[in-house]
Amino acid sequence: MSVQDQVFDAVIVGAGPAGVSCAVWLARLGFAPALIEASDHIGGLCRANPYVDDWNACLPGMTGDQIADNLAQSLRLAGLEPRLSSFVRGVRAQPRGVSVMLQSGDASLSGRFLVLATGVRARPLPGAGDAVPGVLIGPGRHIMAQDFRGLRVAVLGGGDNAFENALYATGHGAAAVRLFARTVRAQRQLVRKVPVAQVVLGDYVVDAGARTVNGEAFDLILVLYGWDPCAEFAQTLDLRRSEHGFIATDQVTTLTSHHLVYAIGEVAQRLHPCVVTAMADGIAAAKAIQARIEADR
């Protein structure tokens, strides 16, 4: 039987912690999942995080890259081979199954259920596009690669990432760092570490091309506005969204407003986003799918 003729128990889109966790649990429960990933690697945003992740209580001292390597190893041990560099261009749902259409020609995969584990992307500066010289969007490896020495740096955002990266730029030789936040949502322990004189609260005006904020010139602008869910290919399913635009799910099962579709990890932002909660989501979806399949037998 060819892959295109096979009906998988679940087609999982996204091979970050949530998707890998779901695939591994389904395989070890005796089911047949298919795991699809648009990039050429396993790990999702873990691969963009070169820092040590001491928030992961079971893997202290490991970087995002190392965690991603462990996720790939877990797939191998479960006998699963993910389909990397596989872009999903659309989804068709019927009463008893889902067809996932890939960008490569007429290729498609069929499953009894669909699991969205597609994660998030960093929210850009409104109206500025994604590639403006001197403007860095979101946290990650590109921040670590930046030489901050002697630069005047503006950090935009009021969350943990904004305060963490303001501290990072200061600690790596920036001549001046100013953080602009309409509201402050970051942990108190981070807020306390940034000098009050460096924080500008309230509305501000950004000219990305001129690299100015409120008319003040900077060498570099870091945009840390949070995240947007990645699920454009599933728009035809008309899934219900949360007030912040993430896919809404049942708290216990991760089921979406479509009876055959589950959403896990940061695309649903069900819990505080991190590796551990994403993996827990994957388990919840796998167990919910197990219960439904076994009830039909």
Side-chain angles (χ1 to χ4, degrees), residues 181-219:
R182 294 185 174 92
T183 59
V184 173
R185 306 176 308 282
Q187 304 171 44
R188 290 183 181 181
Q189 62 173 327
L190 294 174
V191 174
R192 284 195 294 263
K193 292 178 181 178
V194 177
V196 173
Q198 291 185 11
V199 179
V200 179
L201 289 177
D203 286 336
Y204 52 84
V205 177
V206 182
D207 185 330
R211 288 206 292 275
T212 64
V213 184
N214 286 349
E216 185 179 355
F218 293 92
D219 301 301

Side-chain angles (χ1 to χ4, degrees), residues 7-58:
V7 177
F8 294 92
D9 289 311
V11 178
I12 304 163
V13 184
V20 169
S21 174
C22 186
V24 167
W25 271 70
L26 281 172
R28 293 195 176 279
L29 288 168
F31 300 103
L35 181 60
I36 302 172
E37 169 59 43
S39 73
D40 61 357
H41 57 259
I42 299 298
L45 285 176
C46 289
R47 285 291 183 200
N49 177 21
Y51 308 109
V52 170
D53 180 10
D54 283 332
W55 294 94
N56 188 335
C58 61

Side-chain angles (χ1 to χ4, degrees), residues 2 6 8 35 89 97 103 119 149 151 197-198 202 241 245 294:
S2 71
Q6 182 176 354
F8 294 92
L35 181 60
R89 60 184 174 85
Q103 206 169 48
R149 290 175 295 181
L151 300 184
Q198 291 185 11
R241 300 294 183 114
E294 291 180 349

